[in-house]
């Protein structure tokens, strides 16, 4: 079946009849930092016809509403489109379908842009498109080529934007599956459950292609296409990354905002940003190298001070906010007292950080896992050292008590 959304991609609202409504479930995708999926209980509603495009052909589904009830998902099953709603609708009732036009028009621009880039890349350089993806922020076309040169990208971009400026019309035809014309049209085959006529999208003088998606009527509606570059794809393939239409404008707004922020921070013009950042990176590397040397020297001095302290006892404990694993290991190497338990920590005093326990092999093997458990961390050890990450450095006094109890028990046995 060809739906209303495919016959008129620019229609935004219309009335139709509910054919069926049955209970269903939807597994939602996690968003932001929450990657957990949620299962929603609702209904699959089938209409006599629909303005909402079901996902297919590399294009995501539409959003909108039926009688002001939000449609959360649209999927195609054979010749029907199933709309997932949280509220049931009575079969036989007349309903008003409204489209989220901003989302639809964005998809139209990206999909028609993909057709145009695919045709031009093939015509200019023989690059065949093997798949494509319409992403939330950018789209990718998989080209059957191990490499696409920068000058080839520039030529493709120049050609597609020239055709947009020439305002070439985009038309949709519906052919019967047995029409001989079908054999002449480019395409990657039809779904196994395809039913009804075959849609052919034609960009005048450029390309004809079988497609189920929604498209612009004229290339001028694409406004502009920007190819952001290429990425390594599957074996012997290259992914071409692009933006079309309003996405280019939004990308320019973000880029311009970033440039203004950098101009303020770096106190120089846009043309000098790269040079200024390079100077900062060089300075940072020198400072890091200098700080590392100072930290190593401090570790050696700290170790000597601890080793030579007359009241060091059988347990040496040290915490430092700044430091790393190397800092702690240098101290352990310099002290080198086999009959002493050395407990070192670096990081937030009440939060997360690193720890190291050093001393007699037998003692460390037994106490190391218990120290990690007390600090709510993880670690591993060998040859008289146990070190790892901790989430609760605030429990350091408990570790110190554990180590002292161990030494007291050893002295009592002797």
């Amino acid at each position: 079946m060809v739906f209303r959304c495919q016959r008129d991609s620019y229609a935004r609202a219309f009335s139709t009849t509910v054919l069926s409504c049955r209970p269903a479930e939807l597994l939602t995708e996690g968003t932001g930092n929450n990657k957990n999926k949620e299962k929603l209980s609702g209904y699959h509603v089938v209409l006599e016809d629909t303005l909402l495009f079901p996902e297919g052909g590399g294009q995501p589904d539409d959003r909108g509403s039926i009688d002001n009830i939000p449609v959360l998902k649209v999927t195609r099953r054979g010749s029907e489109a199933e709309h997932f709603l949280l509220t049931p609708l009575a079969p036989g009732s007349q309903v008003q379908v409204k489209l989220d036009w901003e989302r639809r028009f964005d998809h139209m621009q990206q999909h028609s842009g993909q057709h145009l880039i695919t045709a031009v890349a093939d015509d200019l350089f023989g690059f065949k498109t093997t798949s494509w993806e319409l992403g939330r922020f950018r789209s990718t076309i998989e080209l059957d080529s191990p490499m696409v040169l920068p000058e080839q990208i520039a030529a493709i971009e120049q050609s597609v934007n020239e055709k947009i400026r020439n305002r070439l019309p985009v038309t949709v035809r519906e052919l019967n599956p047995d029409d001989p014309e079908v054999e002449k049209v480019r395409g990657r085959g039809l779904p196994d459950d395809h039913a009804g006529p075959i849609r052919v999208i034609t960009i005048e003088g450029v390309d004809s292609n079988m497609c189920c998606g929604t498209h612009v009527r004229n290339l001028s509606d694409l406004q502009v296409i920007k190819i952001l570059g290429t990425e390594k794809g599957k074996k012997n393939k290259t992914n071409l990354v692009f933006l079309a239409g309003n996405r280019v404008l939004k990308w320019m707004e973000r880029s311009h905002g970033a440039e203004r922020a950098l101009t303020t921070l770096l106190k120089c013009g846009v043309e000098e940003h790269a040079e200024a950042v390079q100077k900062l990176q060089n300075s940072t590397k020198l400072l890091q190298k200098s700080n590392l040397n100072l930290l190593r020297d401090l570790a050696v001095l700290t170790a000597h001070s601890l080793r030579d302290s007359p009241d060091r006892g059988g347990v040496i404990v040290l915490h430092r906010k700044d430091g790393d694993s190397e800092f702690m290991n240098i101290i352990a190497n310099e002290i080198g007292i086999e009959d002493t338990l050395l407990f070192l920590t670096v990081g937030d005093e009440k939060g997360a950080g690193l720890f190291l326990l050093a001393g007699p092999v037998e003692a460390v093997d037994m106490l190391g896992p218990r120290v990690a458990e007390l600090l709510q961390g993880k670690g591993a050890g060998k040859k008289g050292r146990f070190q790892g990450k901790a989430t609760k450095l605030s429990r350091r006094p408990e570790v110190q008590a554990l180590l002292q109890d161990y030494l007291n028990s050893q002295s009592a046995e002797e």
Side-chain angles (χ1 to χ4, degrees):
M1 178 179 179
V2 175
F3 302 111
R4 175 71 183 272
C5 57
Q6 295 167 305
R7 297 193 302 273
D8 183 3
S9 297
Y10 287 78
R12 305 189 191 191
F14 91 132
S15 296
T16 188
T17 305
V18 177
L19 295 183
S20 66
C21 178
R22 62 180 179 86
E25 292 184 335
L26 175 67
L27 194 63
T28 63
E29 295 291 336
T31 58
N33 294 327
N34 182 16
K35 300 301 181 183
N36 296 326
K37 295 185 178 182
E38 181 183 3
K39 184 179 289 185
L40 300 178
S41 295
Y43 303 87
H44 272 154
V45 174
V46 176
L47 306 175
E48 188 174 57
D49 201 350
T50 186
L51 274 184
L52 306 184
F53 177 74
E55 58 186 352
Q59 179 176 327
D61 58 325
D62 282 335
R63 292 290 182 271
S65 64
I66 303 175
D67 277 359
N68 295 320
I69 301 170
V71 176
L72 305 183
K73 188 75 175 177
V74 190
T75 53
R76 186 180 67 85
R77 177 177 292 191
S79 61
E80 296 179 337
E82 295 182 328
H83 308 74
F84 184 87
L85 288 76
L86 296 179
T87 304
L89 294 171
S93 61
Q94 286 289 116
V95 292
Q96 182 79 1
V97 181
K98 294 182 181 179
L99 171 71
D100 178 343
W101 170 248
E102 184 178 354
R103 176 183 171 96
R104 157 69 68 77
F105 189 57
D106 172 58
H107 290 175
M108 289 165 59
Q109 288 184 319
Q110 309 317 309
H111 204 159
S112 296
Q114 176 265 312
H115 277 229
L116 180 57
I117 295 172
T118 287
V120 169
D122 189 5
D123 180 59
L124 291 182
F125 304 108
F127 296 146
K128 305 294 183 184
T129 292
T130 49
S131 67
W132 87 290
E133 179 184 10
L134 198 167
R136 289 182 60 193
F137 303 106
R138 62 179 199 165
S139 298
T140 57
I141 298 174
E142 183 184 74
L143 299 177
D144 192 14
S145 173
M147 181 182 298
V148 179
L149 301 174
E151 53 266 31
Q152 292 172 320
I153 295 174
I156 294 171
E157 182 176 281
Q158 180 179 351
S159 179
V160 297
N161 283 300
E162 180 181 345
K163 289 171 171 52
I164 292 172
R165 290 191 295 272
N166 288 340
R167 299 176 54 83
L168 298 181
V170 181
T171 56
V172 180
R173 292 182 294 155
E174 296 179 10
L175 303 178
N176 291 322
D178 57 356
D179 192 320
E181 187 71 18
V182 172
E183 298 297 325
K184 303 176 184 178
V185 178
R186 180 172 61 83
R188 297 197 300 273
L190 297 170
D192 294 336
D193 61 349
H194 176 81
I198 295 172
R199 297 176 74 242
V200 177
I201 313 300
T202 300
I203 303 174
E204 185 178 281
V206 177
D207 180 53
S208 285
N209 185 19
M210 286 186 287
C211 183
C212 66
T214 57
H215 291 272
V216 298
R217 292 177 184 150
N218 191 289
L219 289 188
S220 61
D221 276 352
L222 296 184
Q223 301 168 288
V224 65
I225 285 177
K226 178 61 185 175
I227 299 178
L228 299 180
T230 59
E231 297 173 349
K232 184 175 177 59
K234 299 175 184 175
K235 185 177 181 181
N236 294 323
K237 297 184 188 296
T238 300
N239 293 331
L240 185 147
V241 184
F242 76 95
L243 306 172
N246 290 333
R247 291 194 182 192
V248 178
L249 298 178
K250 292 178 180 178
W251 172 71
M252 290 181 65
E253 288 174 4
R254 291 194 301 269
S255 298
H256 183 55
E259 282 188 348
R260 285 187 299 177
L262 285 172
T263 296
T264 301
L265 291 170
L266 299 174
K267 295 180 173 55
C268 64
V270 174
E271 298 79 7
E272 300 170 299
H273 283 180
E275 183 181 352
V277 171
Q278 184 64 57
K279 288 180 179 178
L280 285 174
Q281 287 180 333
N282 292 338
S283 297
T284 300
K285 288 179 182 178
L286 289 174
L287 286 172
Q288 287 175 337
K289 185 176 180 180
S290 177
N291 285 342
L292 183 59
N293 290 333
L294 289 172
L295 194 62
R296 287 170 177 164
D297 292 343
L298 178 61
V300 172
L301 291 172
T302 301
H304 290 173
S305 175
L306 292 171
R307 185 185 61 191
D308 299 336
S309 175
D311 56 348
R312 59 180 174 80
V315 179
I316 297 178
V317 177
L318 176 71
H319 173 78
R320 182 177 174 83
K321 184 176 181 180
D322 300 319
D324 54 17
S325 294
E326 184 180 9
F327 175 79
M328 293 189 296
N329 277 294
I330 290 174
I331 293 177
N333 291 338
E334 289 293 323
I335 290 180
I337 302 174
E338 295 182 358
D339 60 348
T340 301
L341 285 173
L342 177 65
F343 175 52
L344 306 175
T345 54
V346 293
D348 186 345
E349 284 187 26
K350 298 186 181 300
L354 305 174
F355 72 91
L356 182 147
L357 177 68
V361 174
E362 183 179 345
V364 170
D365 288 346
M366 184 183 71
L367 295 170
R370 295 172 64 184
V371 170
E373 184 179 358
L374 279 174
L375 299 176
Q376 295 185 14
K378 294 182 179 180
K382 62 179 181 179
K383 297 182 179 178
R385 291 194 189 180
F386 191 99
Q387 55 189 327
K389 296 180 179 180
T391 59
K392 287 273 189 173
L393 288 183
S394 58
R395 302 185 67 179
R396 287 180 294 113
E398 296 176 51
V399 174
Q400 187 172 356
L402 170 70
L403 302 181
Q404 193 62 57
D405 287 345
Y406 171 80
L407 290 179
N408 293 340
S409 65
Q410 292 297 107
S411 298
E413 291 178 4
E414 293 176 358

